[in-house]
Amino acid sequence: MTHPHPPRRAVLAALGASLLPTLSHSADAPHAWRSSYTPYNGPLKAPLASGPLPVRGRWPAALQGTLYRIGPARRELGGVAMNHWFDGDGMLQAFRFEGGNLSTATSPRISHRGALLATPKLTAEEAAGRLLYSGFATTLPNSPPLSGPDDVNPANINLLALPARKQLFALWEAGSALSVDPVTLQAQGFKAWSPETRGAPFSAHPRVAPDGTVWNFGYVPGSGKLLVYDIAPTGQLRRQHVLTTEQADMVHDFAITERHLVFLLMPLKFNGQPGAGSPLPHYRWEGKAPLVVLLVGKADFKVQRFELPATGLFHLANAWEEGGTVQVRFVAQPDILTALRHLNVDAPRSTSVAAATQWAHITLNPSTGQARLETPGLAHVEFPRIHPARNGLPTRFTTLLARSPGMDAHVQGFDTVLTLQGDKKPQRHRYGAGWIAEEHVYIPASTTAPEGRGWVLGTAYHWPTERTTLSVFDAQAVSAGPVASVTLPYGLPLGLHGQFVAAGA
């Protein structure tokens, strides 16, 4: 008698459930987010080190390197607390995959290390025994005077890896890049790309071109300026340029093409004083103003301006030149101010949630000056990621997070990883009840592999057991579920962005 084999997804789900530790307590849905941060509040604790982790499934032998992730972590000290997702000292995570052998199909060893970053802000607050400085959404009374933005820089949003130089930087929205030792995860001080830009804002979303050039920008709310950085693959600043423009009060991300920089400037206006308490209460939405698109020439910084119907946004996926047009892919957030005001990690998801995010396409025609914005109908998505070597080149494969209709209404965030590939039907994997998915990255199988071949890699937090799991998917078969996963013996604070550095890179 033969017995049918259960689907791989069911097997791995069962194995995963059996390996999750049994706790004497568990978080409930309204406190799912808060439960991930609570262990990291209070006085500074020793770095996390998991040791070798048991693997469920078979980890791809060729997938070797380090997945770095970062996000806000400690948000309470000495009875003083902040509750907005963006406020919290940066914590860096390193998932290492080492010792695999492709010829013998030997899977790598998997381990994790995590550490709060010892920024000047963290060091000063640790010495004082309480939080001292206001954040993005919380103004603290009697904050010390500031000498510059880096006094309050938590280094908590994203990472820039320059593997050829063995360099890793932790990034914030409004200050300098923080140099970090890629092995020990120890902070090594703020980076000055030039004497003129010391302490200037360096955005959390730089773009690395296929030739290794790093393009980035910085802004100060209310200044009407964008500071552009052109950094050589060697890490040396080649050029810096200031653009004067309207609507540069919150510019979280941008894109590049082979010949241009692309900025989407939403009508979210700032009417406060930078550095004077929390900026969030001083933003207002001007819905009658357009979404302004700036197409900036890389060679001469010449600007062409376009207008589109107003929408907000956090993240762009990519942009490229095609048939005389510039194509832009991004996630539109029509009600961004409501979304920002409700990112409270200590409270259940608000019933007055913002309008759904939308996957969006922009077509710019520089020769005619015309622009078109389209939304193909993919809603409730965020955190787009592409092939890391195709910034500015045509893209057919994109990884996103999505929120399923079945996700607990009390819990913010996403529970599904989704991939788009050309005109094919999207692939989806829903983690299931009790899970919050974090950003997933696409890792190509090799430098010569066709786009879309390789793996999708990411973390998810299981709030009923307060544990974090790292899963790897075949990028062509995400709907089949993970091919392998590891569960940490602890939970990690729900973070923001990550970067993968291949072994030997």
Side-chain angles (χ1 to χ4, degrees):
M1 179 177 179
T2 60
H3 299 277
H5 295 288
R8 180 177 67 191
R9 185 190 305 184
V11 172
L12 289 175
L15 284 171
S18 68
L19 288 175
L20 285 170
T22 302
L23 302 182
S24 58
H25 66 94
S26 65
D28 58 3
H31 303 108
W33 278 69
R34 185 176 71 181
S35 70
S36 80
Y37 299 106
T38 299
Y40 305 97
N41 289 332
L44 191 62
K45 301 170 181 64
L48 299 173
S50 69
L53 293 164
V55 177
R56 298 184 294 280
R58 189 170 186 84
W59 198 272
L63 181 53
Q64 298 194 69
T66 303
L67 174 66
Y68 295 101
R69 281 189 48 78
I70 199 164
R74 185 172 75 171
R75 53 184 75 252
E76 187 281 330
L77 181 64
V80 183
M82 295 185 176
N83 59 23
H84 194 277
W85 188 18
F86 297 170
D87 291 333
D89 293 306
M91 186 172 183
L92 179 58
Q93 319 293 345
F95 294 88
R96 304 195 191 279
F97 325 128
E98 303 168 307
N101 189 308
L102 188 59
S103 62
T104 61
T106 303
S107 295
R109 297 183 301 276
I110 318 295
S111 65
H112 168 265
R113 183 174 177 84
L116 281 158
L117 294 173
T119 61
K121 171 189 179 296
L122 181 142
T123 302
E125 292 177 333
E126 188 72 16
R130 67 180 181 91
L131 299 185
L132 298 171
Y133 298 105
S134 299
F136 174 71
T138 308
T139 297
L140 298 184
N142 304 315
S143 291
L146 304 180
S147 62
D150 286 334
D151 289 353
V152 295
N153 186 341
N156 67 1
I157 297 179
N158 201 359
L159 297 154
L160 171 62
L162 300 178
R165 298 183 60 81
K166 308 296 183 187
Q167 291 180 327
L168 182 67
F169 298 96
L171 308 176
W172 184 46
E173 186 89 342
S176 302
L178 179 71
S179 180
V180 179
D181 186 299
V183 177
T184 67
L185 311 188
Q186 291 184 335
Q188 298 178 319
F190 291 119
K191 171 71 174 180
W193 301 99
S194 71
E196 296 81 8
T197 60
R198 182 179 297 275
F202 187 81
S203 156
H205 283 283
R207 296 282 174 164
V208 181
D211 68 355
T213 297
V214 178
W215 291 93
N216 204 8
F217 69 97
Y219 74 98
V220 175
S223 70
K225 309 287 185 184
L226 290 171
L227 172 61
V228 177
Y229 298 82
D230 171 8
I231 300 169
T234 59
Q236 303 302 309
L237 181 69
R238 287 190 294 220
R239 293 182 297 167
Q240 59 203 38
H241 182 81
V242 177
L243 299 172
T244 300
T245 181
E246 80 270 49
Q247 296 186 188
D249 290 345
M250 184 180 286
V251 190
H252 184 65
D253 198 357
F254 79 130
I256 62 174
T257 73
E258 290 185 275
R259 296 185 297 137
H260 297 95
L261 314 177
V262 182
F263 293 94
L264 305 185
L265 306 178
M266 57 187 169
L268 187 62
K269 303 295 183 69
F270 180 75
N271 60 3
Q273 179 64 39
S278 161
L280 180 56
H282 300 286
Y283 278 100
R284 68 184 187 278
W285 182 254
E286 295 192 353
K288 294 182 179 180
L291 175 69
V292 174
V293 183
L294 299 187
L295 191 62
V296 182
K298 287 180 175 179
D300 56 9
F301 297 114
K302 184 178 179 180
V303 176
Q304 186 173 5
R305 184 181 182 277
F306 302 81
E307 291 188 0
L308 286 165
T311 187
L313 72 146
F314 288 114
H315 300 115
L316 289 84
N318 198 17
W320 64 89
E321 296 166 33
E322 181 179 284
T325 69
V326 173
Q327 298 293 319
V328 185
R329 301 293 183 264
F330 74 106
V331 175
Q333 172 54 274
D335 197 4
I336 192 168
L337 194 52
T338 299
L340 285 166
R341 288 171 174 167
H342 287 89
L343 291 175
N344 183 340
V345 302
D346 288 341
R349 180 170 175 258
S350 172
T351 54
S352 58
V353 294
T357 57
Q358 296 281 341
W359 179 239
H361 300 177
I362 289 175
T363 299
L364 306 175
N365 191 322
S367 64
T368 66
Q370 294 180 324
R372 184 173 71 252
L373 171 62
E374 300 171 290
T375 52
L378 183 62
H380 302 286
V381 294
E382 248 299 351
F383 292 96
R385 295 299 298 263
I386 64 164
H387 190 303
R390 296 196 65 83
N391 273 306
L393 300 178
T395 302
R396 292 183 55 81
F397 188 88
T398 305
T399 299
L400 293 149
L401 292 186
R403 182 182 182 90
S404 76
M407 189 169 182
D408 193 304
H410 295 94
V411 181
Q412 297 187 66
F414 307 92
D415 62 351
T416 300
V417 56
L418 176 152
T419 57
L420 303 176
Q421 186 166 10
D423 297 328
K424 295 180 180 179
K425 181 181 178 181
Q427 293 263 330
R428 299 172 185 262
H429 171 73
R430 180 174 180 251
Y431 276 92
W435 290 94
I436 302 170
E438 299 184 278
E439 179 190 69
H440 285 50
V441 300
Y442 165 60
I443 303 167
S446 70
T447 56
T448 59
E451 185 184 11
R453 300 289 178 178
W455 305 280
V456 170
L457 181 67
T459 49
Y461 177 68
H462 189 249
W463 48 262
T465 54
E466 300 178 22
R467 295 292 183 264
T468 294
T469 290
L470 174 71
S471 299
V472 59
F473 301 80
D474 179 341
Q476 291 292 302
V478 166
S479 294
V483 298
S485 63
V486 295
T487 295
L488 299 177
Y490 38 76
L492 299 178
L494 287 160
L496 287 165
H497 297 290
Q499 305 295 334
F500 179 76
V501 177

